[in-house]
Amino acid sequence: MNQLEQLKQFTTIVADTGDFQSIKAFAPRDATTNPSLILKAVQKPEYAPLLSQTVKEHAGLSTGDINDRLLIAFGQEILNIIPGRVSTETDARLSFNTQGTIDKGHALIKLYEAAGIDRERVLIKIASTWEGIRAAEVLQKAGVHCNLTLLFSLPQAIACAEAKVQLISPFVGRIYDWYKKSSGHDYNGDDDPGVQSVKQIYSYFGKYGYATEVMGASFRNTSQIVELAGCDLLTISPDLLQKLAESDAAVSRKLSPEAAQQSEIQKISLDETTFRTMLNDDAMATEKLAEGIRQFSADAVKLEKMVEALR
């Protein structure tokens, strides 16, 4: 078996793309999107008709509402290919607006349901700010499953798990980027700070019985992926899925529920003050969270401008 086939024995594979052809090629169970991936996709000739058609069909709506329908259109197309769930992101500009995020989450689910999609097949992606986590807690209680993204630290993960969110997406590659730039040192294998972060979160959840799924995300190389074999899910870009499919190197399980339960990681009592203090004390997590929100917000604006130009 190639590495991708081996990995599928231990971990649910998720495609991290808005490119339908790539999703078909690698047969993942789930798929994730974000504003940057959708923006990248609609600039390709094969996806331009989906953008123009969505704008034409909803020309009487606001640009923001048309944007939402474009996200749903991509989600629908992806769900026609995969057997599992698609993650659709809320507007990153709502990352510090709890009620706004709640409203947007309900609005997206209603659009999916109006299109005949069961809400069980949709994860609403929300940035892992304190406000975003509180919004996800409310949405989860209302039966809207959430994927908490832009997650770079254990306190963010714990707050999500205590809010009973469905799934979290710790960003391996962006953690790696920060430490590589900060230290000037390249990391590989188990020495990678991004890999270590996900292993810590997985162990904490397993040790203390949290049901929230852990999905490693934002990979830079296949070494990071292989080191997390056994994680609940891994969302992987098409180029790295291709590299895994082309390699027949051995893949062994690195994470397991049994090992997590034996972990000696200490329990953390978390309230808002502790969350904010711990996040503030972690320069990497603070900087990467802020940077991610800015990037996704900027790409949402670019997408709106493309929509506006077609109206």
Side-chain angles (χ1 to χ4, degrees):
M1 292 190 292
N2 62 44
Q3 284 193 308
L4 182 57
E5 291 167 335
Q6 293 177 71
L7 196 61
K8 286 181 178 180
Q9 296 180 108
F10 312 120
T11 294
T12 296
I13 301 302
V14 180
D16 193 20
T17 181
D19 185 328
F20 310 145
Q21 299 308 315
S22 294
I23 295 171
K24 287 179 182 176
F26 297 106
R29 190 195 76 179
D30 296 352
T32 56
T33 63
N34 63 44
S36 301
L37 292 175
I38 298 296
L39 179 66
K40 183 178 178 182
V42 296
Q43 293 179 72
K44 294 182 177 182
E46 59 265 42
Y47 299 116
L50 185 58
L51 172 61
S52 57
Q53 179 185 343
T54 302
V55 174
K56 183 179 179 180
E57 289 179 356
H58 304 286
L61 299 178
S62 69
T63 301
D65 285 341
I66 295 174
N67 243 25
D68 287 349
R69 278 151 178 84
L70 181 63
L71 298 179
I72 303 306
F74 266 88
Q76 283 181 265
E77 293 289 341
I78 290 168
L79 288 171
N80 286 334
I81 301 168
I82 61 171
R85 305 169 296 187
V86 69
S87 290
T88 296
E89 192 126 359
T90 57
D91 193 328
R93 292 166 290 184
L94 297 171
S95 295
F96 302 102
N97 182 339
T98 298
Q99 189 58 52
T101 300
I102 293 168
D103 294 343
K104 181 64 74 174
H106 281 303
L108 292 172
I109 283 294
K110 284 180 181 177
L111 288 173
Y112 270 114
E113 291 182 329
I117 304 296
D118 192 305
R119 65 172 58 194
E120 295 298 319
R121 299 195 68 198
V122 179
L123 294 172
I124 299 299
K125 285 180 79 175
I126 300 169
S128 300
T129 57
W130 181 260
E131 294 81 3
I133 296 167
R134 298 282 66 80
E137 184 174 34
V138 173
L139 288 167
Q140 285 284 161
K141 288 176 180 176
V144 177
H145 300 305
C146 298
N147 170 355
L148 272 289
T149 187
L150 294 176
L151 195 146
F152 304 97
S153 66
L154 184 60
Q156 287 176 289
I158 294 170
C160 290
E162 292 184 346
K164 295 183 169 56
V165 305
Q166 183 69 32
L167 180 147
I168 60 168
S169 297
F171 274 31
V172 177
R174 296 195 193 192
I175 295 175
Y176 161 84
D177 293 344
W178 191 92
Y179 280 101
K180 182 180 179 181
K181 181 178 179 181
S182 176
S183 68
H185 176 69
D186 199 2
Y187 299 90
N188 192 52
D190 192 46
D191 291 332
D192 189 306
V195 169
Q196 291 174 356
S197 178
V198 176
K199 288 186 174 182
Q200 181 189 43
I201 291 166
Y202 182 91
S203 294
Y204 191 96
F205 283 16
K207 174 78 172 179
Y208 297 107
Y210 290 110
T212 297
E213 300 169 62
V214 180
M215 181 172 72
S218 169
F219 295 105
R220 298 294 179 258
N221 54 62
T222 58
S223 169
Q224 294 172 334
I225 297 166
V226 170
E227 280 297 325
L228 293 175
C231 192
D232 299 331
L233 307 95
L234 298 173
T235 184
I236 306 170
S237 63
D239 60 323
L240 292 178
L241 286 169
Q242 184 65 44
K243 288 180 180 178
L244 290 167
E246 291 171 351
S247 171
D248 59 2
V251 176
S252 59
R253 184 164 197 154
K254 303 287 187 176
L255 299 175
S256 71
E258 296 76 21
Q261 288 168 11
Q262 300 303 314
S263 170
E264 296 182 358
I265 193 167
Q266 296 299 304
K267 191 88 160 60
I268 296 173
S269 179
L270 200 68
D271 58 13
E272 181 177 356
T273 299
T274 308
F275 173 92
R276 293 192 185 279
T277 301
M278 291 181 72
L279 187 59
N280 184 71
D281 287 346
D282 187 334
M284 175 278 298
T286 298
E287 291 173 23
K288 282 297 176 183
L289 175 59
E291 177 186 83
I293 291 170
R294 287 195 300 269
Q295 179 188 338
F296 285 165
S297 296
D299 285 342
V301 170
K302 290 177 184 176
L303 196 56
E304 286 181 351
K305 288 181 178 177
M306 291 182 71
V307 168
E308 195 65 39
L310 292 171
R311 299 187 70 179

